[in-house]
Amino acid sequence: MSLKSFYFVVLMCMVSLSGYAQLNDEKIIIKYDPLFWKDQLKLSDDQYVKIREINYAYYQKLMDVAQQKATANHTAMKLKVDEFLEERSNQIWNTFHSRQRKKWMKMVAEQG
């Protein structure tokens, strides 16, 4: 495993353990990829493509942070990762229609 891959795995663990819930102080934090539930959410093709683009940008930002590991401290990295997750969540949430938002919240409630 290369050093770059190792840092990426560490960042992914930080995202998973960041303490975010789906609903955090009235903010919706989407931790899971809604593309896995494309059919249940009835995502349009345009929504599917948009969410894929959002995810791609999110993971690119994580990779950038991973590459800067040598110059950043753990706390600064975690803050960046949390910021990226919140940004991604907002973008995805704004991609959903109101019916899909309700469905998402119901699915999350059933999971947790």
Side-chain angles (χ1 to χ4, degrees):
M1 177 185 285
S2 72
L3 190 57
K4 184 177 173 181
S5 297
F6 173 76
Y7 288 137
F8 183 72
V9 169
V10 169
L11 277 173
M12 293 309 298
C13 289
M14 287 171 51
V15 169
S16 298
L17 300 173
S18 66
Y20 273 99
Q22 285 298 128
L23 183 59
N24 183 8
D25 297 331
E26 301 303 319
K27 290 183 200 174
I28 302 298
I29 303 297
I30 298 175
K31 293 176 65 174
Y32 310 107
D33 189 345
L35 298 181
F36 290 115
W37 297 279
K38 179 183 188 279
D39 294 334
Q40 292 92 329
L41 291 168
K42 298 181 181 166
L43 296 175
S44 70
D45 291 339
D46 290 338
Q47 287 175 307
Y48 183 85
V49 169
K50 179 67 176 163
I51 292 171
R52 269 188 33 206
E53 291 170 355
I54 291 167
N55 284 335
Y56 180 80
Y58 170 70
Y59 290 114
Q60 282 299 120
K61 288 178 182 181
L62 291 180
M63 289 297 294
D64 291 344
V65 169
Q67 291 173 350
Q68 298 168 4
K69 167 76 170 101
T71 60
N73 66 38
H74 176 76
T75 304
M77 285 180 60
K78 183 173 181 341
L79 288 173
K80 277 293 191 193
V81 168
D82 291 347
E83 175 187 326
F84 298 154
L85 180 60
E86 186 173 339
E87 179 182 310
R88 173 186 172 265
S89 295
N90 290 334
Q91 291 173 337
I92 291 173
W93 191 251
N94 291 329
T95 302
F96 289 162
H97 299 297
S98 61
R99 175 186 49 79
Q100 292 165 321
R101 290 176 182 172
K102 289 177 187 174
K103 178 70 174 174
W104 181 260
M105 294 306 290
K106 181 179 177 185
M107 289 169 49
V108 168
E110 291 171 356
Q111 296 274 330

